[in-house]
Short mmCIF file of all heavy atoms in Angstrom, two decimals:
data_model
loop_
_atom_site.label_atom_id
_atom_site.label_comp_id
_atom_site.label_asym_id
_atom_site.label_seq_id
_atom_site.Cartn_x
_atom_site.Cartn_y
_atom_site.Cartn_z
N ALA A 249 -6.82 -15.34 14.23
CA ALA A 249 -5.36 -15.45 14.06
C ALA A 249 -4.83 -14.27 13.26
O ALA A 249 -3.75 -13.73 13.59
CB ALA A 249 -5.02 -16.76 13.37
N ARG A 250 -5.58 -13.84 12.25
CA ARG A 250 -5.13 -12.69 11.45
C ARG A 250 -5.12 -11.42 12.29
O ARG A 250 -4.22 -10.58 12.13
CB ARG A 250 -6.02 -12.52 10.23
CG ARG A 250 -5.94 -13.66 9.23
CD ARG A 250 -6.70 -13.34 7.95
NE ARG A 250 -6.88 -14.54 7.14
CZ ARG A 250 -8.01 -15.22 7.04
NH1 ARG A 250 -9.09 -14.80 7.70
NH2 ARG A 250 -8.09 -16.30 6.28
N ARG A 251 -6.11 -11.26 13.14
CA ARG A 251 -6.11 -10.07 14.01
C ARG A 251 -4.91 -10.08 14.95
O ARG A 251 -4.31 -9.02 15.23
CB ARG A 251 -7.42 -10.02 14.79
CG ARG A 251 -8.64 -9.70 13.92
CD ARG A 251 -9.84 -9.32 14.77
NE ARG A 251 -10.36 -10.45 15.52
CZ ARG A 251 -11.31 -11.29 15.11
NH1 ARG A 251 -11.85 -11.11 13.90
NH2 ARG A 251 -11.74 -12.28 15.86
N GLY A 252 -4.56 -11.26 15.44
CA GLY A 252 -3.37 -11.33 16.29
C GLY A 252 -2.10 -11.02 15.52
O GLY A 252 -1.21 -10.31 16.02
N ILE A 253 -2.01 -11.53 14.29
CA ILE A 253 -0.83 -11.25 13.47
C ILE A 253 -0.75 -9.76 13.16
O ILE A 253 0.33 -9.18 13.10
CB ILE A 253 -0.89 -12.08 12.18
CG1 ILE A 253 -0.79 -13.57 12.51
CG2 ILE A 253 0.24 -11.69 11.23
CD1 ILE A 253 -0.97 -14.48 11.31
N LEU A 254 -1.92 -9.12 12.94
CA LEU A 254 -1.93 -7.69 12.65
C LEU A 254 -1.35 -6.89 13.82
O LEU A 254 -0.61 -5.91 13.62
CB LEU A 254 -3.36 -7.24 12.35
CG LEU A 254 -3.54 -5.77 11.97
CD1 LEU A 254 -2.77 -5.46 10.69
CD2 LEU A 254 -5.02 -5.44 11.78
N LEU A 255 -1.66 -7.31 15.05
CA LEU A 255 -1.07 -6.64 16.23
C LEU A 255 0.44 -6.82 16.27
O LEU A 255 1.18 -5.89 16.59
CB LEU A 255 -1.71 -7.18 17.50
CG LEU A 255 -3.20 -6.83 17.71
CD1 LEU A 255 -3.72 -7.50 18.97
CD2 LEU A 255 -3.37 -5.32 17.82
N LEU A 256 0.90 -8.02 15.92
CA LEU A 256 2.35 -8.26 15.90
C LEU A 256 3.02 -7.42 14.82
O LEU A 256 4.13 -6.90 15.02
CB LEU A 256 2.62 -9.74 15.66
CG LEU A 256 2.22 -10.71 16.79
CD1 LEU A 256 2.48 -12.15 16.38
CD2 LEU A 256 3.00 -10.37 18.06
N CYS A 257 2.35 -7.25 13.67
CA CYS A 257 2.92 -6.40 12.61
C CYS A 257 3.06 -4.96 13.08
O CYS A 257 4.08 -4.30 12.82
CB CYS A 257 2.04 -6.48 11.37
SG CYS A 257 2.04 -8.09 10.55
N ALA A 258 2.03 -4.47 13.76
CA ALA A 258 2.11 -3.10 14.27
C ALA A 258 3.24 -2.96 15.29
O ALA A 258 3.94 -1.93 15.32
CB ALA A 258 0.77 -2.72 14.91
N LEU A 259 3.46 -4.00 16.11
CA LEU A 259 4.55 -3.96 17.08
C LEU A 259 5.91 -3.95 16.39
O LEU A 259 6.81 -3.19 16.76
CB LEU A 259 4.44 -5.16 18.02
CG LEU A 259 5.52 -5.29 19.10
CD1 LEU A 259 5.48 -4.08 20.03
CD2 LEU A 259 5.33 -6.59 19.89
N VAL A 260 6.06 -4.79 15.36
CA VAL A 260 7.33 -4.83 14.62
C VAL A 260 7.63 -3.48 13.97
O VAL A 260 8.76 -2.97 14.03
CB VAL A 260 7.29 -5.95 13.56
CG1 VAL A 260 8.49 -5.86 12.63
CG2 VAL A 260 7.24 -7.30 14.23
N LEU A 261 6.62 -2.87 13.37
CA LEU A 261 6.83 -1.59 12.68
C LEU A 261 7.12 -0.47 13.68
O LEU A 261 7.94 0.41 13.40
CB LEU A 261 5.59 -1.24 11.85
CG LEU A 261 5.32 -2.15 10.65
CD1 LEU A 261 4.00 -1.79 10.00
CD2 LEU A 261 6.45 -2.05 9.63
N SER A 262 6.48 -0.51 14.83
CA SER A 262 6.76 0.54 15.83
C SER A 262 8.17 0.41 16.39
O SER A 262 8.85 1.41 16.63
CB SER A 262 5.72 0.46 16.95
OG SER A 262 5.83 -0.79 17.64
N GLN A 263 8.61 -0.82 16.60
CA GLN A 263 9.98 -1.01 17.11
C GLN A 263 11.02 -0.67 16.04
O GLN A 263 12.13 -0.28 16.38
CB GLN A 263 10.15 -2.45 17.58
CG GLN A 263 9.38 -2.79 18.84
CD GLN A 263 9.62 -4.22 19.31
OE1 GLN A 263 10.17 -5.03 18.56
NE2 GLN A 263 9.22 -4.52 20.53
N ALA A 264 10.65 -0.80 14.78
CA ALA A 264 11.60 -0.44 13.72
C ALA A 264 11.80 1.05 13.60
O ALA A 264 12.76 1.50 12.97
CB ALA A 264 11.12 -1.01 12.38
N GLY A 265 10.89 1.86 14.15
CA GLY A 265 11.05 3.30 14.16
C GLY A 265 10.92 3.92 12.78
O GLY A 265 9.96 3.67 12.04
N THR A 266 11.92 4.72 12.41
CA THR A 266 11.90 5.41 11.12
C THR A 266 11.88 4.44 9.95
O THR A 266 11.20 4.67 8.95
CB THR A 266 13.11 6.34 11.00
OG1 THR A 266 13.14 7.23 12.12
CG2 THR A 266 13.04 7.16 9.73
N GLU A 267 12.60 3.35 10.10
CA GLU A 267 12.62 2.35 9.03
C GLU A 267 11.23 1.78 8.79
O GLU A 267 10.81 1.58 7.63
CB GLU A 267 13.59 1.23 9.36
CG GLU A 267 13.69 0.17 8.27
CD GLU A 267 14.57 -1.00 8.67
OE1 GLU A 267 15.08 -0.98 9.81
OE2 GLU A 267 14.73 -1.93 7.86
N GLY A 268 10.48 1.55 9.85
CA GLY A 268 9.14 1.02 9.70
C GLY A 268 8.21 2.00 8.98
O GLY A 268 7.44 1.60 8.10
N GLN A 269 8.30 3.28 9.34
CA GLN A 269 7.47 4.29 8.67
C GLN A 269 7.84 4.41 7.19
O GLN A 269 6.96 4.50 6.32
CB GLN A 269 7.63 5.63 9.36
CG GLN A 269 7.14 5.65 10.80
CD GLN A 269 7.37 6.98 11.49
OE1 GLN A 269 7.95 7.90 10.90
NE2 GLN A 269 6.96 7.09 12.74
N GLN A 270 9.14 4.40 6.91
CA GLN A 270 9.57 4.47 5.51
C GLN A 270 9.12 3.24 4.72
O GLN A 270 8.74 3.36 3.55
CB GLN A 270 11.09 4.63 5.45
CG GLN A 270 11.60 5.95 5.99
CD GLN A 270 13.11 6.03 6.01
OE1 GLN A 270 13.80 5.02 5.77
NE2 GLN A 270 13.65 7.21 6.27
N ALA A 271 9.16 2.09 5.34
CA ALA A 271 8.74 0.88 4.65
C ALA A 271 7.25 0.92 4.33
O ALA A 271 6.84 0.55 3.22
CB ALA A 271 9.05 -0.34 5.52
N VAL A 272 6.44 1.38 5.28
CA VAL A 272 5.00 1.49 5.03
C VAL A 272 4.73 2.44 3.88
O VAL A 272 3.93 2.15 2.97
CB VAL A 272 4.28 1.94 6.31
CG1 VAL A 272 2.82 2.29 6.00
CG2 VAL A 272 4.35 0.86 7.37
N THR A 273 5.41 3.59 3.87
CA THR A 273 5.20 4.57 2.81
C THR A 273 5.64 4.03 1.45
O THR A 273 4.94 4.18 0.44
CB THR A 273 5.98 5.86 3.13
OG1 THR A 273 5.55 6.37 4.39
CG2 THR A 273 5.74 6.92 2.06
N ALA A 274 6.80 3.38 1.40
CA ALA A 274 7.32 2.86 0.13
C ALA A 274 6.42 1.76 -0.41
O ALA A 274 6.14 1.70 -1.62
CB ALA A 274 8.75 2.36 0.32
N ILE A 275 5.98 0.85 0.46
CA ILE A 275 5.14 -0.25 -0.01
C ILE A 275 3.79 0.26 -0.49
O ILE A 275 3.26 -0.20 -1.51
CB ILE A 275 4.98 -1.29 1.12
CG1 ILE A 275 6.31 -2.04 1.32
CG2 ILE A 275 3.85 -2.26 0.83
CD1 ILE A 275 6.29 -3.02 2.45
N ARG A 276 3.22 1.22 0.20
CA ARG A 276 1.95 1.79 -0.26
C ARG A 276 2.10 2.48 -1.61
O ARG A 276 1.20 2.40 -2.45
CB ARG A 276 1.42 2.77 0.78
CG ARG A 276 0.83 2.10 2.01
CD ARG A 276 0.17 3.10 2.95
NE ARG A 276 -0.42 2.44 4.10
CZ ARG A 276 -1.07 3.06 5.08
NH1 ARG A 276 -1.20 4.39 5.02
NH2 ARG A 276 -1.58 2.39 6.07
N ASP A 277 3.23 3.12 -1.81
CA ASP A 277 3.45 3.78 -3.10
C ASP A 277 3.56 2.75 -4.22
O ASP A 277 3.01 2.95 -5.31
CB ASP A 277 4.72 4.63 -3.03
CG ASP A 277 4.97 5.38 -4.32
OD1 ASP A 277 4.20 6.31 -4.63
OD2 ASP A 277 5.93 5.03 -5.03
N ILE A 278 4.25 1.65 -3.97
CA ILE A 278 4.38 0.60 -4.99
C ILE A 278 3.02 -0.01 -5.30
O ILE A 278 2.64 -0.20 -6.46
CB ILE A 278 5.36 -0.48 -4.52
CG1 ILE A 278 6.78 0.09 -4.46
CG2 ILE A 278 5.31 -1.70 -5.43
CD1 ILE A 278 7.80 -0.87 -3.87
N LEU A 279 2.25 -0.32 -4.27
CA LEU A 279 0.95 -0.95 -4.48
C LEU A 279 -0.04 0.01 -5.12
O LEU A 279 -0.91 -0.40 -5.89
CB LEU A 279 0.41 -1.46 -3.14
CG LEU A 279 1.27 -2.51 -2.43
CD1 LEU A 279 0.63 -2.90 -1.11
CD2 LEU A 279 1.48 -3.72 -3.30
N ARG A 280 0.10 1.29 -4.79
CA ARG A 280 -0.81 2.27 -5.39
C ARG A 280 -0.58 2.40 -6.88
O ARG A 280 -1.49 2.72 -7.64
CB ARG A 280 -0.61 3.63 -4.70
CG ARG A 280 -1.52 4.73 -5.20
CD ARG A 280 -1.37 5.96 -4.31
NE ARG A 280 0.01 6.38 -4.20
CZ ARG A 280 0.62 7.15 -5.09
NH1 ARG A 280 -0.03 7.58 -6.15
NH2 ARG A 280 1.88 7.50 -4.92
N ARG A 281 0.64 2.15 -7.32
CA ARG A 281 0.98 2.26 -8.74
C ARG A 281 0.85 0.93 -9.49
O ARG A 281 1.31 0.82 -10.62
CB ARG A 281 2.42 2.77 -8.89
CG ARG A 281 2.63 4.20 -8.40
CD ARG A 281 4.10 4.56 -8.44
NE ARG A 281 4.35 5.92 -8.00
CZ ARG A 281 4.38 6.98 -8.79
NH1 ARG A 281 4.17 6.82 -10.09
NH2 ARG A 281 4.63 8.18 -8.33
N ALA A 282 0.24 -0.05 -8.86
CA ALA A 282 0.07 -1.34 -9.52
C ALA A 282 -1.18 -1.29 -10.40
O ALA A 282 -2.23 -1.83 -10.08
CB ALA A 282 -0.06 -2.45 -8.47
N TYR A 283 -1.03 -0.62 -11.54
CA TYR A 283 -2.17 -0.42 -12.43
C TYR A 283 -2.40 -1.67 -13.28
O TYR A 283 -1.47 -2.27 -13.80
CB TYR A 283 -1.92 0.79 -13.34
CG TYR A 283 -1.68 2.06 -12.57
CD1 TYR A 283 -0.42 2.65 -12.53
CD2 TYR A 283 -2.71 2.66 -11.87
CE1 TYR A 283 -0.19 3.80 -11.81
CE2 TYR A 283 -2.49 3.82 -11.15
CZ TYR A 283 -1.23 4.39 -11.12
OH TYR A 283 -1.01 5.54 -10.41
N ARG A 284 -3.68 -2.02 -13.43
CA ARG A 284 -4.04 -3.23 -14.17
C ARG A 284 -5.20 -3.00 -15.12
O ARG A 284 -5.74 -3.96 -15.67
CB ARG A 284 -4.39 -4.35 -13.19
CG ARG A 284 -5.58 -4.05 -12.31
CD ARG A 284 -5.77 -5.12 -11.24
NE ARG A 284 -6.97 -4.89 -10.47
CZ ARG A 284 -8.17 -5.40 -10.77
NH1 ARG A 284 -8.30 -6.19 -11.84
NH2 ARG A 284 -9.21 -5.17 -10.02
N ALA A 285 -5.64 -1.77 -15.30
CA ALA A 285 -6.76 -1.49 -16.20
C ALA A 285 -6.53 -0.14 -16.87
O ALA A 285 -5.94 0.77 -16.28
CB ALA A 285 -8.09 -1.48 -15.44
N SER A 286 -7.00 -0.04 -18.10
CA SER A 286 -6.87 1.21 -18.86
C SER A 286 -8.17 2.01 -18.83
O SER A 286 -8.54 2.67 -19.79
CB SER A 286 -6.49 0.90 -20.32
OG SER A 286 -7.49 0.09 -20.93
N SER A 287 -8.87 1.94 -17.71
CA SER A 287 -10.16 2.63 -17.60
C SER A 287 -10.01 4.13 -17.77
O SER A 287 -10.91 4.80 -18.30
CB SER A 287 -10.79 2.32 -16.24
OG SER A 287 -10.86 0.93 -16.02
N LEU A 288 -8.88 4.69 -17.31
CA LEU A 288 -8.71 6.14 -17.38
C LEU A 288 -8.70 6.62 -18.82
O LEU A 288 -9.38 7.60 -19.16
CB LEU A 288 -7.41 6.53 -16.67
CG LEU A 288 -7.06 8.02 -16.72
CD1 LEU A 288 -8.15 8.85 -16.07
CD2 LEU A 288 -5.72 8.28 -16.04
N VAL A 289 -7.95 5.97 -19.68
CA VAL A 289 -7.91 6.41 -21.07
C VAL A 289 -9.27 6.18 -21.73
O VAL A 289 -9.67 6.93 -22.64
CB VAL A 289 -6.78 5.70 -21.83
CG1 VAL A 289 -7.10 4.24 -22.08
CG2 VAL A 289 -6.50 6.39 -23.16
N GLU A 290 -10.00 5.16 -21.30
CA GLU A 290 -11.35 4.96 -21.83
C GLU A 290 -12.26 6.12 -21.45
O GLU A 290 -13.13 6.53 -22.22
CB GLU A 290 -11.92 3.63 -21.31
CG GLU A 290 -11.21 2.40 -21.81
CD GLU A 290 -11.35 2.21 -23.31
OE1 GLU A 290 -12.31 2.75 -23.88
OE2 GLU A 290 -10.50 1.52 -23.90
N CYS A 291 -12.09 6.64 -20.24
CA CYS A 291 -12.88 7.81 -19.82
C CYS A 291 -12.57 9.03 -20.68
O CYS A 291 -13.48 9.74 -21.12
CB CYS A 291 -12.60 8.12 -18.35
SG CYS A 291 -13.19 6.86 -17.20
N VAL A 292 -11.29 9.27 -20.94
CA VAL A 292 -10.91 10.39 -21.79
C VAL A 292 -11.45 10.18 -23.21
O VAL A 292 -11.93 11.12 -23.85
CB VAL A 292 -9.38 10.57 -21.80
CG1 VAL A 292 -8.98 11.72 -22.70
CG2 VAL A 292 -8.86 10.82 -20.39
N ASN A 293 -11.38 8.95 -23.69
CA ASN A 293 -11.93 8.65 -25.01
C ASN A 293 -13.42 8.95 -25.07
O ASN A 293 -13.92 9.46 -26.08
CB ASN A 293 -11.69 7.17 -25.35
CG ASN A 293 -10.24 6.88 -25.68
OD1 ASN A 293 -9.43 7.79 -25.80
ND2 ASN A 293 -9.91 5.61 -25.80
N SER A 294 -14.13 8.61 -24.02
CA SER A 294 -15.58 8.86 -24.01
C SER A 294 -15.88 10.35 -24.08
O SER A 294 -16.79 10.78 -24.80
CB SER A 294 -16.19 8.26 -22.74
OG SER A 294 -15.98 6.86 -22.69
N VAL A 295 -15.11 11.15 -23.34
CA VAL A 295 -15.32 12.60 -23.38
C VAL A 295 -15.00 13.14 -24.77
O VAL A 295 -15.75 13.95 -25.34
CB VAL A 295 -14.47 13.30 -22.30
CG1 VAL A 295 -14.58 14.81 -22.43
CG2 VAL A 295 -14.92 12.85 -20.92
#
């Protein structure tokens, strides 16, 4: 069922055209910035 829904999502985004591409880019940017750990500063501290 999830694979079928994934095909429908791709169809919706393709029919949306530019809006669909912009939505994918914006959502990926938001999710990419969803930081939940301070591992990076711990790495700098270790060095």
